């Protein structure tokens, strides 16, 4: 009889840090201690705190070990599992600032304390490859309730009353979308899950599918019942092999248990699912381009209307929601619309999952109630910027979003507030930037991504974004004057007004938001020919501070082009700027801060 469960993160992040080897090592060593019958080793989904991975959780002791290496496994087994002594050096803990005592309860650690998990409720808790563990956590009860106790219209009314809005970017009311499709004449209809998560630094949907695939499958079946659809597609990019594999396992298990297929739970409701792999085109996150891809055509958007709810895949009524949106559905049906609506703000109900990354101490996945402030996420949950660096900005909404500054950190997060500030919720990417980031370079990074991902169908996006990128590259080189900023801003608005789809219409956002918030930084590039953050290589200069130079020759030894001269122990060194290639090797090599970069 098992008395202890060892949960090991098997999400993409921890898997890349060899968590799979931890599973093997535990299973290999447990018999040596006679514990193979008492301890069960379970691969689970993401715990959220990716910065501390690989994570190993011991239940029912509720002890979390972080940064676990293969050589630590035997220590955990011999000390904790065999002798009952917690391995303190590996334990994830925190010091209470008031009492100065160690916080051991994982739910009270700052990273988790302000979170409320709905979409992520089972991630890091269950084995995603075992349907029985999902069922043990009330899995498929919502589907049973919907198809045996509720009419399709009652299901839609419940989703409407909950206030659930699409988590994929635009925040369109989910129940309203379902109603549009339900109102279409009876006949073939479809449900699509958009798992084509493409924002740089975003991994919310991937982690849900890796840690709790059945929650999406159950929700899609509920959606199918509500609108009168008997078939669904999960459109997921092929770069998510772990998520794809677990989806395949989950679909097969659901079919075996009669939760997908014909006459589900003894009713006359039929619903089947299939997976369609995307090739990683960012534009296929746009619903009409996604539909084109499912149909075997090149993923390119088409004008709307008609909207997919009227004419979608194969020309039939189709609803499309992203992974996180679906991950909320079963809980709403199970717990009631009023429960969900009691969380969040007046116009943005429930919670939102964010992928917290960039210059932040605690990178990872966080799920917070709508209305939580950016400051709470960045400083209390995220731990602020590492290395005592000053916070500069946070980019929300990925390439389609914008930058927000210190002055806006006390803004409660919801769909409408972020749009008013010139950004957007997007799918949930949140990239923190510190004093070492150049905002012109940040805008250039996102435009470079957008140009690469443009499908090329409409001229404003195909040509306009390239022109914007060319202007940004010029600015990073200190070329042009103030007029280039006005020209670039004018082009931004023209693209927003004329591009075909959401990708093109929001492509200028990174430029417009950084121009608004950090115009002085742009002006420094074109007027002073200087990059204040010291990032734009063409505008950098390196020189030796004679008063700090120890005449040690380290800088000269590390210079790859022989641009530094001096006499060891006798005279300060000097950098010949005509030879300097601005590689920064001297800056990194100097131990005495004698190299100035500006």
């Amino acid at each position: 009889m098992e008395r202890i469960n060892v949960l090991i993160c098997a999400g993409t992040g921890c898997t890349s840090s060899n968590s799979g080897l931890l599973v093997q090592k535990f299973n290999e060593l447990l018999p040596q201690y006679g514990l193979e019958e008492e301890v069960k080793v379970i691969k689970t989904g993401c715990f959220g705190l990716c910065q501390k991975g690989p994570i190993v959780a011991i239940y029912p002791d509720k002890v979390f070990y972080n940064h676990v290496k293969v050589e630590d496994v035997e220590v955990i087994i011999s000390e904790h599992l065999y002798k009952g002594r917690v391995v303190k050096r590996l334990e994830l803990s925190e010091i209470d600032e008031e009492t100065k005592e160690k916080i051991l309860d994982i739910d009270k650690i700052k990273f988790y304390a302000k979170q409320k998990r709905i979409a992520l409720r089972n991630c890091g808790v269950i084995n995603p490859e075992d349907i029985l563990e999902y069922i043990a956590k009330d899995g498929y009860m919502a589907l049973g309730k919907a198809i045996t106790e509720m009419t399709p219209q009652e299901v839609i009314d419940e989703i409407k009353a909950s206030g659930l809005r699409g988590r994929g970017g635009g925040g369109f009311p989910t129940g309203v979308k379902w109603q549009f499709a339900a109102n279409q004449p009876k006949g073939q209809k479809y449900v699509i899950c958009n798992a084509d998560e493409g924002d740089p630094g975003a991994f919310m949907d991937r982690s849900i599918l890796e840690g709790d695939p059945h929650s999406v499958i159950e929700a899609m079946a509920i959606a199918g019942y509500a609108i009168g659809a008997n078939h669904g597609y999960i459109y997921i990019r092929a770069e998510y092999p772990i998520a794809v594999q677990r989806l395949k396992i989950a679909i097969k298990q659901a079919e075996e248990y009669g939760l997908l297929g014909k006459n589900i739970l003894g009713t006359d409701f039929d619903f089947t699912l299939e997976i369609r792999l995307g090739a990683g085109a960012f534009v296929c996150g746009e619903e009409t381009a996604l539909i084109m891809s499912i149909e075997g055509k090149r993923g390119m958007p088409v004008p709307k209307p008609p909207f997919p709810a009227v004419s979608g895949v194969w020309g039939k009524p189709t609803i499309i929601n992203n992974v996180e949106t679906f991950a909320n559905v079963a809980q709403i049906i199970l717990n009631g619309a009023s429960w969900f609506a009691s969380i969040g703000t007046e116009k943005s109900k429930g919670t939102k999952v964010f992928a917290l990354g960039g210059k932040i101490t605690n990178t990872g996945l966080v799920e917070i109630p709508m209305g939580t402030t950016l400051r709470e996420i960045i400083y209390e949950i995220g731990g602020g910027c590492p290395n005592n660096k000053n916070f500069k900005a946070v980019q929300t909404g990925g390439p389609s979003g914008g930058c927000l500054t210190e002055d806006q950190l006390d803004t409660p997060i919801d769909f409408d507030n972020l749009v008013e500030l010139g950004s957007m919720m997007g799918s949930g990417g949140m990239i923190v930037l510190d004093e070492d980031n150049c905002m012109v370079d940040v805008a250039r990074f996102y435009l470079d991504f957008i140009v690469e991902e443009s499908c090329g169908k409409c001229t404003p996006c195909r040509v306009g974004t390239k022109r914007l990128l060319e202007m940004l590259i010029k600015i990073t080189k200190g070329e042009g004057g103030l007029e280039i900023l006005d020209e670039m801003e004018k082009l931004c608005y023209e693209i927003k007004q004329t591009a075909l789809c959401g990708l093109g219409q929001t492509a200028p956002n990174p430029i417009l938001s950084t121009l608004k918030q950090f115009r002085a930084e742009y002006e420094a590039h074109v007027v002073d020919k200087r990059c204040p953050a010291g990032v734009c290589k063409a505008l950098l200069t390196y020189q030796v501070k004679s008063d700090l130079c120890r005449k040690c020759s380290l800088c000269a030894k590390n210079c790859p082009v022989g641009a530094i001269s001096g006499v060891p122990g006798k005279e300060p060194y000097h950098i010949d700027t005509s030879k300097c290639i601005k590689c920064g090797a001297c800056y990194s090599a100097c131990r005495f801060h004698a190299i100035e970069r500006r």
Side-chain angles (χ1 to χ4, degrees):
M1 181 71 178
E2 293 141 357
R3 62 180 175 85
I4 293 179
N5 285 337
V6 176
L7 275 61
I8 301 176
C9 175
T12 296
C14 285
T15 298
S16 68
S17 298
N18 295 322
S19 66
L21 295 179
L22 299 181
V23 175
Q24 294 177 24
K25 198 67 174 177
F26 269 103
N27 287 326
E28 175 189 323
L29 294 179
L30 283 171
Q32 297 180 21
Y33 289 82
L35 295 173
E36 67 272 25
E37 299 296 326
E38 297 182 51
V39 178
K40 184 178 181 180
V41 181
I42 302 167
K43 293 192 297 183
T44 188
C46 179
F47 289 99
L49 190 47
C50 303
Q51 184 70 34
K52 301 292 185 180
I55 290 177
V56 173
I58 312 293
Y59 282 94
D61 301 358
K62 213 173 182 182
V63 172
F64 276 44
Y65 291 124
N66 64 123
H67 298 310
V68 180
K69 299 175 183 177
V70 174
E71 52 265 34
D72 297 322
V73 171
E74 186 162 12
V75 178
I76 294 173
I77 293 175
S78 62
E79 289 296 306
H80 188 153
L81 303 182
Y82 189 72
K83 298 177 183 176
R85 298 191 297 222
V86 174
V87 183
K88 298 295 183 182
R89 68 177 177 85
L90 296 173
E91 186 180 25
L92 179 59
S93 62
E94 203 168 75
I95 301 297
D96 188 293
E97 295 175 359
E98 294 182 5
T99 65
K100 305 302 179 185
E101 294 180 358
K102 184 181 286 188
I103 301 173
L104 297 176
D105 186 342
I106 198 68
D107 295 325
K108 294 181 180 178
I109 286 177
K110 282 184 178 180
F111 182 82
Y112 293 105
K114 290 206 170 187
Q115 293 193 49
K116 183 173 181 62
R117 290 186 150 211
I118 299 176
L120 298 176
R121 65 192 176 279
N122 288 331
C123 293
V125 176
I126 67 172
N127 178 356
E129 298 181 10
D130 187 347
I131 191 173
L132 294 179
E133 293 203 13
Y134 179 71
I135 291 173
K137 299 287 288 183
D138 296 332
Y140 290 103
M141 285 186 65
L143 176 61
K145 178 181 177 181
I147 65 178
T148 62
E149 300 177 21
M150 303 171 73
T151 66
Q153 187 58 51
E154 285 174 339
V155 172
I156 293 174
D157 290 341
E158 197 75 3
I159 299 299
K160 281 183 182 177
S162 73
L164 177 65
R165 295 171 65 173
R167 286 351 190 208
F172 190 81
T174 304
V176 174
K177 181 183 287 189
W178 290 17
Q179 187 71 69
F180 286 156
N183 289 345
Q184 301 309 305
K186 287 186 178 180
Q188 185 64 57
K189 298 178 183 179
Y190 294 98
V191 176
I192 294 177
C193 175
N194 181 353
D196 190 62
E197 185 176 50
D199 289 5
F203 50 97
M204 301 78 59
D205 291 352
R206 183 191 72 195
S207 295
I208 292 172
L209 291 175
E210 290 177 351
D212 193 18
H214 285 285
S215 66
V216 175
I217 293 170
E218 180 179 15
M220 292 182 72
I222 292 170
Y225 174 73
I227 71 166
N230 63 9
H231 190 69
Y233 297 97
I234 300 176
Y235 185 88
I236 181 170
R237 52 181 48 212
E239 296 114 297
Y240 288 177
I242 296 176
V244 171
Q245 180 62 20
R246 289 184 184 158
L247 272 173
K248 288 179 179 178
I249 293 170
I251 290 172
K252 183 178 180 182
Q253 290 176 340
E255 290 171 344
E256 291 171 351
Y257 277 75
L259 298 165
L260 283 179
K262 296 284 187 180
N263 304 119
I264 294 174
L265 295 177
T267 68
D268 60 358
F269 173 57
D270 305 335
F271 191 76
T272 54
L273 270 181
E274 64 178 290
I275 297 170
R276 289 294 175 94
L277 298 182
F282 182 64
V283 73
C284 285
E286 196 277 336
E287 55 186 13
T288 61
L290 182 154
I291 288 170
M292 296 283 280
S293 182
I294 286 179
E295 293 177 344
K297 304 168 187 172
R298 181 176 176 181
M300 301 175 80
V302 298
K304 294 181 287 189
F307 292 93
V310 176
S311 177
V313 68
W314 317 117
K316 303 298 182 181
T318 305
I319 60 167
I320 304 175
N321 291 116
N322 85 322
V323 171
E324 186 186 341
T325 308
F326 278 125
N328 286 284
V329 168
Q331 292 299 294
I332 292 172
I333 298 300
L334 208 53
N335 298 308
S338 58
W339 163 78
F340 190 81
S342 69
I343 305 165
T345 66
E346 183 181 353
K347 294 183 179 180
S348 298
K349 305 297 184 181
T351 60
K352 181 71 188 81
V353 180
F354 288 97
L356 193 56
K359 305 292 185 65
I360 192 77
T361 300
N362 296 324
T363 58
L365 278 184
V366 302
E367 184 173 2
I368 49 92
M370 294 281 196
T372 304
T373 65
L374 286 164
R375 189 178 301 277
E376 289 174 289
I377 293 179
I378 293 169
Y379 286 99
E380 296 186 36
I381 297 175
C385 299
N387 304 316
N388 295 316
K389 295 289 185 177
N390 293 320
F391 168 86
K392 188 170 188 177
V394 57
Q395 172 84 13
T396 66
S400 302
C403 288
L404 304 175
T405 64
E406 177 81 34
D407 296 337
Q408 298 158 324
L409 288 186
D410 293 313
T411 302
I413 295 173
D414 68 16
F415 290 101
D416 305 309
N417 284 344
L418 292 180
V419 171
E420 285 178 14
L421 294 175
S423 187
M424 65 184 297
M425 185 88 71
S427 58
M430 187 175 286
I431 308 300
V432 179
L433 310 169
D434 69 11
E435 60 189 270
D436 292 335
N437 287 105
C438 168
M439 302 314 294
V440 181
D441 184 65
V442 168
R444 181 208 55 76
F445 167 79
Y446 281 115
L447 258 293
D448 189 51
F449 175 84
I450 288 166
V451 167
E452 183 71 23
E453 294 295 337
S454 173
C455 75
K457 185 172 184 178
C458 74
T459 304
C461 185
R462 182 182 68 251
V463 179
T465 56
K466 286 184 179 179
R467 298 293 85 81
L468 288 178
L469 179 59
E470 289 167 2
M471 291 178 190
L472 284 170
I473 291 173
K474 282 185 177 181
I475 293 169
T476 61
K477 294 179 178 179
E479 298 173 2
L482 290 174
E483 70 282 352
I484 196 172
L485 303 185
D486 296 331
E487 183 184 348
M488 185 168 66
E489 190 170 14
K490 179 174 179 289
L491 180 56
C492 281
Y493 286 112
E494 289 173 348
I495 294 172
K496 283 181 73 70
Q497 293 165 6
T498 57
L500 173 62
C501 78
L503 185 149
Q505 292 162 10
T506 58
N509 284 359
I511 295 177
L512 290 173
S513 68
T514 52
L515 262 176
K516 179 182 177 181
Q517 308 283 11
F518 298 95
R519 194 175 188 91
E521 202 160 316
Y522 277 87
E523 292 174 349
H525 282 70
V526 296
V527 176
D528 302 330
K529 311 301 180 187
R530 180 177 63 88
C531 175
V535 172
C536 298
K537 191 173 178 180
L539 301 180
L540 291 181
T541 57
Y542 291 88
Q543 64 182 54
V544 179
K545 297 179 182 178
S546 299
D547 56 326
L548 295 180
C549 181
R550 299 292 184 90
K551 311 174 185 67
C552 66
S553 78
L554 267 178
C555 57
K557 290 177 180 177
N558 282 275
C559 180
V561 293
I564 304 176
S565 58
V567 180
K570 294 185 178 180
E571 62 179 56
Y573 279 72
H574 171 75
I575 299 175
D576 184 343
T577 55
S578 65
K579 294 181 180 179
C580 178
I581 60 171
K582 305 175 183 180
C583 65
C586 58
Y587 185 83
S588 301
C590 183
R591 302 171 185 170
F592 311 108
H593 308 292
I595 307 293
E596 182 180 32
R597 181 180 66 184
R598 59 180 183 177

